[in-house]
Amino acid sequence: MTQIHEMNAVALAEKIRTKELSAQAVLEHFLRRIETHDSELNCFLSLNDKNHAEAEAIDSCISAGEDPGILAGVPVAIKDNIDVEGMRTTCGSRFLENFVAPFDATVVKRLKKAGAVIIGKTNLDEFAMGSSTENSAFGPTRNPWDKNRIPGGSSGGSAAAVAARLCPVSLGSDTGGSIRQPASFCGVLGVKPTYGRVSRYGLVAFGSSLDQVGPFTNSAHDAARVTGVLAGSCDLDSTAANVEVPDYEAGLDLGLNGLRIGVPKEFMAEGIDESVRNRIQESIDLMKEAGAKIVEVSLPHTKYAIPVYYIVATSEASSNLARYDGVGYGRRQEDTEDIMDMFMKSRLHGFGDEVKRRIMLGTYCLSSGYYDAYYDKAQRVRTLIRQDFEQAFQNCDVIVGPTAPTPPFKLGEKTDDPLTMYLADILTASLNLAGMPGMSTPAGFIENRNSRLPVGLQVIAAPFREDMIFRVAAAHEQLPALTKEAPIL
Ligand code: GLN
Protein backbone atom coordinates (compact mmCIF):
# COMPACT_ATOMS: atom_id res chain seq x y z
CA MET A 1 0.00 0.00 0.00
CA THR A 2 1.19 3.49 -0.77
CA GLN A 3 2.36 5.20 2.38
CA ILE A 4 1.16 8.67 3.31
CA HIS A 5 4.52 10.31 2.59
CA GLU A 6 4.65 8.74 -0.86
CA MET A 7 1.48 10.56 -1.89
CA ASN A 8 1.47 13.94 -3.54
CA ALA A 9 -0.46 16.91 -2.22
CA VAL A 10 -3.35 16.63 -4.68
CA ALA A 11 -3.93 12.97 -3.72
CA LEU A 12 -3.63 13.70 -0.01
CA ALA A 13 -6.13 16.57 -0.17
CA GLU A 14 -8.58 14.30 -1.99
CA LYS A 15 -8.24 11.48 0.55
CA ILE A 16 -8.67 13.94 3.41
CA ARG A 17 -11.69 15.58 1.81
CA THR A 18 -13.38 12.22 1.28
CA LYS A 19 -12.47 11.16 4.86
CA GLU A 20 -10.35 8.23 3.71
CA LEU A 21 -7.60 9.84 5.80
CA SER A 22 -7.87 12.47 8.51
CA ALA A 23 -5.83 15.66 8.41
CA GLN A 24 -4.62 14.79 11.90
CA ALA A 25 -3.35 11.35 10.87
CA VAL A 26 -1.52 12.87 7.90
CA LEU A 27 0.08 15.52 10.10
CA GLU A 28 1.11 12.88 12.67
CA HIS A 29 2.73 10.78 9.97
CA PHE A 30 4.87 13.64 8.70
CA LEU A 31 5.77 14.80 12.23
CA ARG A 32 7.01 11.29 12.95
CA ARG A 33 9.17 11.38 9.84
CA ILE A 34 10.59 14.72 10.91
CA GLU A 35 11.36 13.28 14.32
CA THR A 36 13.15 10.29 12.79
CA HIS A 37 15.12 11.98 10.03
CA ASP A 38 15.53 15.66 10.72
CA SER A 39 18.22 15.46 13.37
CA GLU A 40 20.51 14.35 10.56
CA LEU A 41 19.15 16.56 7.75
CA ASN A 42 18.45 19.79 9.69
CA CYS A 43 15.65 20.97 7.39
CA PHE A 44 13.49 22.46 10.15
CA LEU A 45 14.30 25.43 12.40
CA SER A 46 10.99 25.26 14.28
CA LEU A 47 7.69 23.40 14.30
CA ASN A 48 4.32 25.12 14.47
CA ASP A 49 2.82 24.49 17.90
CA LYS A 50 -0.60 25.18 16.39
CA ASN A 51 -0.28 22.55 13.65
CA HIS A 52 -2.43 20.02 15.54
CA ALA A 53 -5.16 22.60 16.06
CA GLU A 54 -5.05 23.54 12.39
CA ALA A 55 -5.37 19.88 11.31
CA GLU A 56 -8.19 19.33 13.76
CA ALA A 57 -10.04 22.36 12.40
CA ILE A 58 -9.84 20.91 8.88
CA ASP A 59 -11.26 17.59 10.06
CA SER A 60 -14.13 19.33 11.87
CA CYS A 61 -14.84 21.46 8.83
CA ILE A 62 -15.14 18.30 6.71
CA SER A 63 -17.35 16.59 9.30
CA ALA A 64 -19.61 19.65 9.27
CA GLY A 65 -19.99 19.27 5.50
CA GLU A 66 -18.19 22.54 4.73
CA ASP A 67 -15.68 23.04 1.91
CA PRO A 68 -12.19 22.58 3.41
CA GLY A 69 -10.35 24.05 0.38
CA ILE A 70 -8.22 22.54 -2.38
CA LEU A 71 -5.23 21.92 -0.11
CA ALA A 72 -7.34 20.42 2.69
CA GLY A 73 -5.07 19.06 5.39
CA VAL A 74 -1.87 19.24 3.31
CA PRO A 75 1.11 19.95 5.59
CA VAL A 76 3.21 22.80 4.19
CA ALA A 77 6.61 23.96 5.48
CA ILE A 78 7.55 27.63 5.19
CA LYS A 79 11.03 29.05 4.58
CA ASP A 80 12.06 30.94 7.67
CA ASN A 81 12.14 34.32 5.94
CA ILE A 82 8.35 34.27 5.44
CA ASP A 83 6.12 35.36 8.32
CA VAL A 84 3.71 33.01 10.07
CA GLU A 85 1.84 34.77 12.85
CA GLY A 86 3.04 33.73 16.30
CA MET A 87 6.09 31.84 15.01
CA ARG A 88 9.67 33.00 14.85
CA THR A 89 11.02 34.37 11.55
CA THR A 90 14.75 33.97 12.10
CA CYS A 91 15.93 34.36 8.49
CA GLY A 92 18.69 31.95 9.53
CA SER A 93 20.28 34.85 11.40
CA ARG A 94 21.37 35.48 14.99
CA PHE A 95 19.95 38.96 14.49
CA LEU A 96 16.37 37.68 14.34
CA GLU A 97 16.83 34.58 16.49
CA ASN A 98 13.99 35.60 18.82
CA PHE A 99 11.85 37.64 16.47
CA VAL A 100 8.21 36.50 16.48
CA ALA A 101 6.10 37.51 13.47
CA PRO A 102 3.04 39.59 14.39
CA PHE A 103 1.11 38.65 11.23
CA ASP A 104 0.84 36.09 8.42
CA ALA A 105 2.47 36.77 5.07
CA THR A 106 -0.13 36.98 2.30
CA VAL A 107 1.11 33.65 0.89
CA VAL A 108 0.61 31.99 4.29
CA LYS A 109 -2.85 33.49 4.62
CA ARG A 110 -3.74 32.09 1.20
CA LEU A 111 -2.38 28.64 2.03
CA LYS A 112 -4.39 28.53 5.26
CA LYS A 113 -7.52 29.65 3.44
CA ALA A 114 -7.02 26.78 0.97
CA GLY A 115 -6.96 24.36 3.90
CA ALA A 116 -3.19 23.80 4.23
CA VAL A 117 -1.69 23.05 7.65
CA ILE A 118 1.51 24.95 8.45
CA ILE A 119 3.80 22.26 9.79
CA GLY A 120 6.95 24.28 10.54
CA LYS A 121 9.66 26.68 9.36
CA THR A 122 12.68 25.65 7.31
CA ASN A 123 16.39 26.40 7.25
CA LEU A 124 18.03 28.84 4.82
CA ASP A 125 21.20 30.78 4.16
CA GLU A 126 21.18 33.86 6.38
CA PHE A 127 18.75 36.40 4.88
CA ALA A 128 18.56 34.11 1.80
CA MET A 129 22.12 35.01 0.82
CA GLY A 130 23.85 31.91 -0.44
CA SER A 131 23.64 28.85 -2.66
CA SER A 132 24.25 26.01 -0.21
CA THR A 133 22.40 26.68 3.10
CA GLU A 134 25.82 26.68 4.77
CA ASN A 135 25.40 30.38 5.64
CA SER A 136 22.65 29.61 8.16
CA ALA A 137 23.48 30.62 11.74
CA PHE A 138 21.79 27.37 12.79
CA GLY A 139 23.97 24.85 10.93
CA PRO A 140 23.78 23.55 7.37
CA THR A 141 21.02 21.38 5.91
CA ARG A 142 22.17 18.16 4.27
CA ASN A 143 21.14 16.77 0.89
CA PRO A 144 18.89 13.71 1.38
CA TRP A 145 20.45 12.04 -1.69
CA ASP A 146 23.96 12.27 -0.25
CA LYS A 147 24.35 13.63 3.25
CA ASN A 148 27.91 14.76 2.64
CA ARG A 149 26.60 17.20 0.07
CA ILE A 150 24.73 20.46 0.30
CA PRO A 151 21.05 20.72 -0.71
CA GLY A 152 21.60 23.98 -2.59
CA GLY A 153 20.37 27.32 -1.34
CA SER A 154 19.22 29.54 -0.11
CA SER A 155 15.93 27.60 0.34
CA GLY A 156 17.86 24.38 1.14
CA GLY A 157 15.69 23.39 4.11
CA SER A 158 12.47 23.67 2.09
CA ALA A 159 13.89 21.69 -0.86
CA ALA A 160 15.43 18.93 1.27
CA ALA A 161 12.26 18.57 3.37
CA VAL A 162 10.13 17.88 0.28
CA ALA A 163 12.80 15.58 -1.22
CA ALA A 164 13.02 13.57 2.02
CA ARG A 165 9.23 13.52 2.16
CA LEU A 166 9.13 15.22 5.54
CA CYS A 167 6.26 17.25 4.07
CA PRO A 168 4.58 17.17 0.65
CA VAL A 169 4.90 20.91 -0.08
CA SER A 170 7.04 23.81 1.09
CA LEU A 171 7.56 27.45 0.23
CA GLY A 172 10.83 29.11 -0.70
CA SER A 173 11.92 32.48 -2.00
CA ASP A 174 13.96 33.09 -5.15
CA THR A 175 16.03 36.23 -5.66
CA GLY A 176 18.70 34.78 -7.95
CA GLY A 177 17.89 31.08 -8.01
CA SER A 178 17.11 30.14 -4.41
CA ILE A 179 14.07 28.02 -5.30
CA ARG A 180 15.23 26.53 -8.60
CA GLN A 181 18.82 25.65 -7.70
CA PRO A 182 17.99 23.72 -4.48
CA ALA A 183 15.06 22.05 -6.30
CA SER A 184 17.54 20.86 -8.90
CA PHE A 185 20.04 19.65 -6.28
CA CYS A 186 17.37 17.80 -4.28
CA GLY A 187 15.43 16.26 -7.20
CA VAL A 188 12.12 18.06 -6.59
CA LEU A 189 10.10 20.67 -8.47
CA GLY A 190 10.62 24.34 -7.60
CA VAL A 191 8.74 27.27 -9.12
CA LYS A 192 9.90 30.89 -9.35
CA PRO A 193 6.84 32.76 -10.58
CA THR A 194 6.89 35.90 -12.74
CA TYR A 195 7.94 38.98 -10.76
CA GLY A 196 4.60 40.37 -9.54
CA ARG A 197 2.69 37.08 -9.81
CA VAL A 198 2.85 36.40 -6.04
CA SER A 199 2.61 38.89 -3.17
CA ARG A 200 5.81 39.63 -1.26
CA TYR A 201 3.96 40.96 1.79
CA GLY A 202 5.43 39.17 4.79
CA LEU A 203 8.52 37.96 2.92
CA VAL A 204 11.61 39.51 4.51
CA ALA A 205 13.09 41.72 1.79
CA PHE A 206 16.48 40.87 0.26
CA GLY A 207 16.48 42.31 -3.29
CA SER A 208 13.04 43.84 -3.65
CA SER A 209 13.09 44.07 -7.45
CA LEU A 210 14.08 40.39 -7.71
CA ASP A 211 12.39 38.50 -4.83
CA GLN A 212 9.50 36.09 -5.47
CA VAL A 213 7.92 33.37 -3.34
CA GLY A 214 7.14 29.96 -4.85
CA PRO A 215 6.52 26.31 -3.96
CA PHE A 216 8.54 23.09 -3.84
CA THR A 217 6.58 19.93 -4.66
CA ASN A 218 7.02 16.37 -5.87
CA SER A 219 4.73 16.63 -8.89
CA ALA A 220 3.79 19.07 -11.64
CA HIS A 221 0.13 18.84 -10.65
CA ASP A 222 0.99 19.86 -7.06
CA ALA A 223 3.16 22.73 -8.34
CA ALA A 224 0.31 24.01 -10.53
CA ARG A 225 -2.22 23.80 -7.72
CA VAL A 226 -0.08 25.48 -5.07
CA THR A 227 1.06 28.26 -7.42
CA GLY A 228 -2.60 28.90 -8.23
CA VAL A 229 -3.30 29.30 -4.51
CA LEU A 230 -0.37 31.71 -3.99
CA ALA A 231 -0.85 33.88 -7.09
CA GLY A 232 -2.83 37.08 -7.46
CA SER A 233 -2.89 40.74 -6.56
CA CYS A 234 -2.61 41.92 -2.96
CA ASP A 235 -3.69 45.15 -1.30
CA LEU A 236 -0.56 45.06 0.85
CA ASP A 237 1.96 44.72 -2.00
CA SER A 238 1.63 47.16 -4.87
CA THR A 239 4.04 45.08 -7.00
CA ALA A 240 1.68 42.07 -6.90
CA ALA A 241 0.14 42.51 -10.34
CA ASN A 242 -3.54 42.74 -11.01
CA VAL A 243 -3.43 40.04 -13.68
CA GLU A 244 -6.03 37.31 -13.66
CA VAL A 245 -4.83 33.94 -12.36
CA PRO A 246 -5.65 31.20 -14.87
CA ASP A 247 -6.62 27.67 -13.81
CA TYR A 248 -3.13 26.16 -13.95
CA GLU A 249 -4.47 22.65 -13.50
CA ALA A 250 -6.64 22.86 -16.62
CA GLY A 251 -3.78 22.76 -19.15
CA LEU A 252 -1.65 20.03 -17.59
CA ASP A 253 -2.60 17.35 -20.12
CA LEU A 254 -1.95 19.35 -23.28
CA GLY A 255 1.31 17.51 -23.95
CA LEU A 256 4.30 18.59 -26.02
CA ASN A 257 2.94 18.10 -29.51
CA GLY A 258 3.65 21.16 -31.63
CA LEU A 259 5.22 23.09 -28.76
CA ARG A 260 8.27 25.13 -29.76
CA ILE A 261 11.01 24.58 -27.17
CA GLY A 262 13.95 26.96 -27.33
CA VAL A 263 17.39 25.82 -26.16
CA PRO A 264 19.78 28.71 -25.53
CA LYS A 265 23.21 27.82 -26.83
CA GLU A 266 24.80 29.70 -23.90
CA PHE A 267 23.09 27.32 -21.44
CA MET A 268 24.65 24.23 -22.99
CA ALA A 269 28.13 25.67 -23.51
CA GLU A 270 31.50 25.28 -21.84
CA GLY A 271 31.48 25.87 -18.11
CA ILE A 272 28.46 23.62 -17.71
CA ASP A 273 29.49 20.27 -16.24
CA GLU A 274 29.48 17.61 -18.95
CA SER A 275 27.45 15.12 -16.91
CA VAL A 276 24.74 17.76 -16.39
CA ARG A 277 24.76 18.71 -20.06
CA ASN A 278 24.35 15.07 -21.12
CA ARG A 279 21.37 14.52 -18.83
CA ILE A 280 19.66 17.67 -20.08
CA GLN A 281 20.36 16.76 -23.71
CA GLU A 282 18.66 13.41 -23.11
CA SER A 283 15.60 15.22 -21.76
CA ILE A 284 15.56 17.49 -24.80
CA ASP A 285 15.82 14.51 -27.17
CA LEU A 286 12.95 12.76 -25.38
CA MET A 287 10.77 15.86 -25.59
CA LYS A 288 11.50 16.02 -29.31
CA GLU A 289 10.39 12.41 -29.71
CA ALA A 290 7.22 13.34 -27.83
CA GLY A 291 6.35 15.89 -30.52
CA ALA A 292 8.05 19.12 -29.44
CA LYS A 293 9.88 21.23 -31.98
CA ILE A 294 13.37 22.09 -30.73
CA VAL A 295 14.77 25.46 -31.82
CA GLU A 296 18.12 27.01 -30.97
CA VAL A 297 17.85 30.44 -29.37
CA SER A 298 20.45 32.80 -27.98
CA LEU A 299 20.64 34.75 -24.73
CA PRO A 300 23.91 36.55 -25.47
CA HIS A 301 23.96 38.69 -22.33
CA THR A 302 23.77 35.65 -20.01
CA LYS A 303 27.50 36.02 -19.49
CA TYR A 304 26.87 39.25 -17.58
CA ALA A 305 24.15 37.78 -15.35
CA ILE A 306 26.43 37.12 -12.36
CA PRO A 307 28.14 40.54 -12.16
CA VAL A 308 24.85 42.36 -12.83
CA TYR A 309 22.96 40.26 -10.30
CA TYR A 310 25.61 40.72 -7.62
CA ILE A 311 25.54 44.49 -8.09
CA VAL A 312 21.74 44.85 -8.13
CA ALA A 313 21.07 42.29 -5.37
CA THR A 314 23.76 43.59 -3.00
CA SER A 315 22.74 47.22 -3.58
CA GLU A 316 19.13 46.46 -2.72
CA ALA A 317 20.22 44.29 0.21
CA SER A 318 22.43 47.00 1.70
CA SER A 319 19.48 49.33 1.71
CA ASN A 320 16.92 46.73 2.91
CA LEU A 321 19.15 45.55 5.74
CA ALA A 322 19.72 49.06 7.08
CA ARG A 323 16.57 48.51 9.16
CA TYR A 324 18.35 46.03 11.45
CA ASP A 325 19.79 48.50 13.90
CA GLY A 326 18.91 46.91 17.22
CA VAL A 327 16.32 49.57 18.02
CA GLY A 328 12.84 48.44 17.00
CA TYR A 329 13.24 44.67 17.01
CA GLY A 330 15.83 41.94 16.66
CA ARG A 331 19.13 41.65 18.43
CA ARG A 332 20.37 44.55 20.54
CA GLN A 333 23.89 44.61 21.92
CA GLU A 334 23.89 45.41 25.65
CA ASP A 335 26.51 47.45 27.55
CA THR A 336 27.45 49.81 24.75
CA GLU A 337 28.85 53.31 25.12
CA ASP A 338 26.34 55.30 23.10
CA ILE A 339 23.74 54.82 20.39
CA MET A 340 26.29 54.67 17.53
CA ASP A 341 28.21 52.03 19.40
CA MET A 342 24.95 50.13 19.94
CA PHE A 343 24.07 50.23 16.20
CA MET A 344 27.52 49.07 15.24
CA LYS A 345 27.93 46.30 17.78
CA SER A 346 24.41 44.96 17.19
CA ARG A 347 25.22 44.64 13.49
CA LEU A 348 28.75 43.37 14.11
CA HIS A 349 27.57 40.50 16.29
CA GLY A 350 24.12 39.98 14.74
CA PHE A 351 25.12 39.40 11.10
CA GLY A 352 27.27 36.60 9.69
CA ASP A 353 30.20 37.09 7.30
CA GLU A 354 28.32 36.67 4.01
CA VAL A 355 25.64 39.19 5.00
CA LYS A 356 28.32 41.68 5.97
CA ARG A 357 30.12 41.08 2.68
CA ARG A 358 26.88 41.81 0.77
CA ILE A 359 26.16 44.97 2.76
CA MET A 360 29.66 46.27 2.07
CA LEU A 361 29.54 45.40 -1.65
CA GLY A 362 26.12 47.02 -2.02
CA THR A 363 27.04 50.14 -0.08
CA TYR A 364 30.10 50.51 -2.27
CA CYS A 365 28.09 50.13 -5.51
CA LEU A 366 25.60 52.77 -4.38
CA SER A 367 28.13 55.26 -3.03
CA SER A 368 28.20 58.59 -4.87
CA GLY A 369 31.54 58.10 -6.65
CA TYR A 370 30.72 54.63 -7.95
CA TYR A 371 26.96 54.70 -8.56
CA ASP A 372 27.27 55.41 -12.30
CA ALA A 373 30.09 52.95 -12.83
CA TYR A 374 28.35 50.05 -11.08
CA TYR A 375 24.68 50.38 -10.16
CA ASP A 376 23.57 52.45 -13.12
CA LYS A 377 25.56 50.37 -15.59
CA ALA A 378 24.22 47.14 -14.12
CA GLN A 379 20.66 48.42 -14.58
CA ARG A 380 21.38 49.11 -18.25
CA VAL A 381 22.74 45.62 -18.81
CA ARG A 382 19.70 44.29 -16.95
CA THR A 383 17.54 45.80 -19.70
CA LEU A 384 19.66 44.03 -22.33
CA ILE A 385 19.19 40.73 -20.50
CA ARG A 386 15.41 41.24 -20.53
CA GLN A 387 15.49 42.07 -24.24
CA ASP A 388 17.36 38.81 -24.93
CA PHE A 389 14.44 36.89 -23.46
CA GLU A 390 11.85 38.96 -25.35
CA GLN A 391 13.74 38.28 -28.55
CA ALA A 392 14.04 34.55 -27.85
CA PHE A 393 10.32 34.22 -27.13
CA GLN A 394 9.57 35.50 -30.65
CA ASN A 395 10.70 32.08 -31.87
CA CYS A 396 9.61 29.68 -29.14
CA ASP A 397 6.93 29.04 -26.50
CA VAL A 398 9.22 27.94 -23.68
CA ILE A 399 12.96 27.85 -23.08
CA VAL A 400 14.71 24.92 -21.43
CA GLY A 401 18.21 24.19 -20.20
CA PRO A 402 19.99 23.06 -17.06
CA THR A 403 19.07 24.76 -13.77
CA ALA A 404 22.54 24.62 -12.25
CA PRO A 405 25.94 24.23 -13.91
CA THR A 406 27.07 21.35 -11.66
CA PRO A 407 25.62 18.55 -9.56
CA PRO A 408 25.28 19.25 -5.80
CA PHE A 409 28.71 19.84 -4.26
CA LYS A 410 30.23 18.63 -1.01
CA LEU A 411 29.74 20.47 2.28
CA GLY A 412 32.59 22.93 2.75
CA GLU A 413 33.73 22.66 -0.87
CA LYS A 414 33.02 26.28 -1.78
CA THR A 415 32.74 28.08 1.55
CA ASP A 416 36.20 29.66 1.31
CA ASP A 417 35.66 31.03 -2.15
CA PRO A 418 32.61 33.29 -2.49
CA LEU A 419 33.16 33.79 -6.22
CA THR A 420 32.86 30.09 -7.11
CA MET A 421 29.82 29.93 -4.85
CA TYR A 422 28.28 32.87 -6.77
CA LEU A 423 28.76 30.97 -10.05
CA ALA A 424 26.18 28.41 -8.91
CA ASP A 425 23.56 31.02 -9.95
CA ILE A 426 24.83 31.52 -13.49
CA LEU A 427 21.77 29.95 -15.15
CA THR A 428 19.11 31.19 -12.78
CA ALA A 429 19.87 34.83 -11.90
CA SER A 430 19.12 36.21 -15.36
CA LEU A 431 15.44 35.26 -14.96
CA ASN A 432 15.13 37.32 -11.80
CA LEU A 433 16.82 40.26 -13.51
CA ALA A 434 14.34 39.95 -16.40
CA GLY A 435 11.30 39.12 -14.20
CA MET A 436 10.66 35.86 -16.09
CA PRO A 437 8.96 32.81 -14.53
CA GLY A 438 10.98 29.61 -14.30
CA MET A 439 10.89 26.20 -12.75
CA SER A 440 13.31 23.43 -12.04
CA THR A 441 11.89 19.98 -12.63
CA PRO A 442 13.66 16.65 -12.01
CA ALA A 443 15.58 15.32 -15.03
CA GLY A 444 17.12 12.10 -13.76
CA PHE A 445 20.40 11.47 -12.01
CA ILE A 446 24.13 11.43 -12.37
CA GLU A 447 25.55 8.18 -11.05
CA ASN A 448 28.24 9.01 -8.56
CA ARG A 449 30.58 6.57 -6.83
CA ASN A 450 28.56 6.37 -3.61
CA SER A 451 25.29 8.07 -4.47
CA ARG A 452 22.95 9.26 -7.17
CA LEU A 453 22.90 13.00 -7.67
CA PRO A 454 19.76 14.66 -9.07
CA VAL A 455 19.82 16.95 -12.10
CA GLY A 456 17.19 19.62 -12.74
CA LEU A 457 15.76 20.83 -16.03
CA GLN A 458 14.98 24.54 -16.00
CA VAL A 459 11.81 25.51 -17.87
CA ILE A 460 11.30 29.20 -18.60
CA ALA A 461 8.24 30.96 -20.03
CA ALA A 462 7.23 34.47 -21.00
CA PRO A 463 5.91 36.69 -18.19
CA PHE A 464 2.65 35.40 -16.63
CA ARG A 465 2.78 32.21 -18.73
CA GLU A 466 3.36 29.85 -15.80
CA ASP A 467 0.69 27.67 -17.46
CA MET A 468 3.26 26.78 -20.16
CA ILE A 469 5.81 25.78 -17.54
CA PHE A 470 3.37 23.44 -15.80
CA ARG A 471 2.31 21.93 -19.12
CA VAL A 472 5.95 21.12 -19.99
CA ALA A 473 6.75 19.84 -16.49
CA ALA A 474 3.67 17.59 -16.52
CA ALA A 475 4.61 16.13 -19.91
CA HIS A 476 8.27 15.85 -18.95
CA GLU A 477 7.57 13.85 -15.79
CA GLN A 478 5.70 11.27 -17.91
CA LEU A 479 8.76 10.59 -20.07
CA PRO A 480 9.74 6.93 -19.73
CA ALA A 481 13.35 7.56 -18.67
CA LEU A 482 12.30 9.71 -15.76
CA THR A 483 10.71 7.29 -13.33
CA LYS A 484 10.51 9.10 -10.04
CA GLU A 485 12.18 7.82 -6.94
CA ALA A 486 12.67 9.02 -3.41
CA PRO A 487 16.01 9.08 -1.61
CA ILE A 488 16.78 6.26 0.81
CA LEU A 489 17.23 7.90 4.19
N1 GLN B 1 22.47 32.33 -4.38
C1 GLN B 1 22.04 33.66 -4.70
C2 GLN B 1 22.61 34.62 -3.69
O1 GLN B 1 23.37 34.21 -2.91
C3 GLN B 1 20.57 33.71 -4.78
C4 GLN B 1 19.92 33.83 -3.47
C5 GLN B 1 18.42 33.85 -3.56
O2 GLN B 1 17.84 33.62 -4.61
N2 GLN B 1 17.82 34.23 -2.45
O3 GLN B 1 22.31 35.77 -3.70
Side-chain angles (χ1 to χ4, degrees):
M1 204 189 85
T2 319
Q3 297 212 58
I4 287 177
H5 63 269
E6 292 166 343
M7 288 182 230
N8 294 332
V10 168
L12 279 173
E14 181 61 14
K15 286 204 181 334
I16 293 170
R17 204 179 51 79
T18 56
K19 295 201 204 172
E20 206 179 307
L21 285 171
S22 74
Q24 293 174 85
V26 169
L27 174 69
E28 275 310 326
H29 181 88
F30 283 107
L31 287 174
R32 239 174 296 129
R33 282 188 69 78
I34 293 172
E35 204 175 296
T36 315
H37 300 293
D38 204 44
S39 49
E40 199 179 3
L41 295 172
N42 198 28
C43 299
F44 282 87
L45 292 180
S46 60
L47 292 175
N48 181 7
D49 57 17
K50 296 200 196 82
N51 53 26
H52 285 102
E54 288 175 19
E56 206 182 322
I58 295 295
D59 289 331
S60 330
C61 165
I62 293 167
S63 300
E66 289 159 20
D67 177 11
I70 55 173
L71 293 177
V74 174
V76 179
I78 310 288
K79 186 179 183 181
D80 209 16
N81 62 348
I82 300 172
D83 288 327
V84 176
E85 187 184 337
M87 291 186 75
R88 280 180 298 154
T89 306
T90 67
C91 291
S93 180
R94 292 273 167 229
F95 214 112
L96 295 177
E97 198 166 6
N98 298 311
F99 173 72
V100 175
F103 54 77
D104 279 336
T106 298
V107 285
V108 170
K109 229 182 249 166
R110 290 195 176 159
L111 284 173
K112 286 182 176 172
K113 200 161 158 240
V117 169
I118 308 302
I119 189 165
K121 305 286 300 279
T122 51
N123 201 9
L124 68 159
D125 285 297
E126 186 175 7
F127 285 99
M129 297 173 185
S131 306
S132 68
T133 316
E134 291 165 297
N135 295 337
S136 168
F138 308 109
T141 296
R142 288 167 186 271
N143 192 318
W145 293 96
D146 179 343
K147 296 179 193 102
N148 295 315
R149 292 177 189 262
I150 54 92
S154 62
S155 314
S158 291
V162 171
R165 309 253 177 187
L166 306 186
C167 54
V169 176
S170 63
L171 293 191
S173 65
D174 191 311
T175 305
S178 280
I179 294 175
R180 290 159 289 154
Q181 185 256 22
S184 168
F185 282 4
C186 290
V188 298
L189 291 88
V191 186
K192 194 248 2 132
T194 310
Y195 184 79
R197 179 72 290 184
V198 172
S199 167
R200 293 181 294 115
Y201 181 72
L203 165 70
V204 175
F206 165 9
S208 306
S209 75
L210 307 158
D211 300 338
Q212 272 293 288
V213 175
F216 291 93
T217 66
N218 274 309
S219 80
H221 195 170
D222 287 1
R225 179 169 295 186
V226 180
T227 305
V229 167
L230 303 178
S233 65
C234 167
D235 291 344
L236 300 163
D237 174 8
S238 61
T239 65
N242 195 3
V243 175
E244 205 192 322
V245 182
D247 178 357
Y248 294 130
E249 293 175 65
L252 287 173
D253 297 331
L254 291 174
L256 296 171
N257 211 358
L259 201 73
R260 294 169 307 160
I261 297 184
V263 180
K265 52 176 190 259
E266 295 81 2
F267 278 38
M268 297 293 270
E270 247 175 87
I272 310 302
D273 197 282
E274 202 188 327
S275 57
V276 171
R277 233 188 306 160
N278 291 342
R279 275 303 314 127
I280 297 302
Q281 190 56 51
E282 275 176 59
S283 267
I284 294 171
D285 294 344
L286 286 168
M287 290 194 285
K288 188 172 174 193
E289 271 171 42
K293 185 169 180 281
I294 308 298
V295 290
E296 190 185 91
V297 295
S298 177
L299 300 169
H301 294 94
T302 298
K303 57 177 180 284
Y304 303 118
I306 291 298
V308 171
Y309 169 78
Y310 276 93
I311 290 170
V312 173
T314 58
S315 297
E316 294 185 10
S318 77
S319 144
N320 273 326
L321 270 62
R323 74 191 66 176
Y324 303 106
D325 54 10
V327 177
Y329 53 89
R331 186 193 165 100
R332 175 184 299 182
Q333 189 67 30
E334 300 300 336
D335 301 325
T336 49
E337 284 164 23
D338 52 29
I339 189 152
M340 266 324 268
D341 195 39
M342 192 277 281
F343 289 159
M344 288 198 294
K345 292 210 173 109
S346 299
R347 288 168 73 82
L348 176 70
H349 300 299
F351 290 139
D353 287 348
E354 183 61 28
V355 173
K356 286 181 198 155
R357 181 179 295 123
R358 306 279 178 117
I359 292 173
M360 285 191 277
L361 283 170
T363 307
Y364 180 82
C365 292
L366 291 176
S367 60
S368 61
Y370 296 101
Y371 183 93
D372 291 344
Y374 293 103
Y375 186 75
D376 190 64
K377 196 162 184 182
Q379 292 291 17
R380 287 161 195 270
V381 182
R382 183 177 188 176
T383 304
L384 298 176
I385 290 173
R386 201 187 59 239
Q387 286 170 352
D388 280 359
F389 279 104
E390 285 164 2
Q391 192 72 37
F393 280 120
Q394 305 269 323
N395 302 315
C396 61
D397 305 304
V398 292
I399 293 175
V400 304
T403 304
T406 64
F409 38 90
K410 294 220 167 84
L411 253 88
E413 194 178 318
K414 301 194 178 187
T415 34
D416 293 336
D417 185 354
L419 277 181
T420 26
M421 188 72 94
Y422 293 174
L423 283 176
D425 306 315
I426 188 142
L427 301 172
T428 47
S430 55
L431 276 74
N432 302 72
L433 291 164
M436 301 288 154
M439 170 195 246
S440 183
T441 194
F445 299 89
I446 293 167
E447 300 294 338
N448 190 38
R449 212 157 6 123
N450 313 311
S451 52
R452 321 183 67 190
L453 304 176
V455 176
L457 175 80
Q458 187 169 208
V459 186
I460 308 164
F464 297 99
R465 292 310 305 269
E466 283 81 358
D467 59 317
M468 284 288 190
I469 292 178
F470 299 131
R471 173 180 166 186
V472 173
H476 185 262
E477 76 187 0
Q478 301 299 326
L479 297 175
L482 293 172
T483 2
K484 294 238 18 192
E485 295 169 48
I488 300 155
L489 296 176

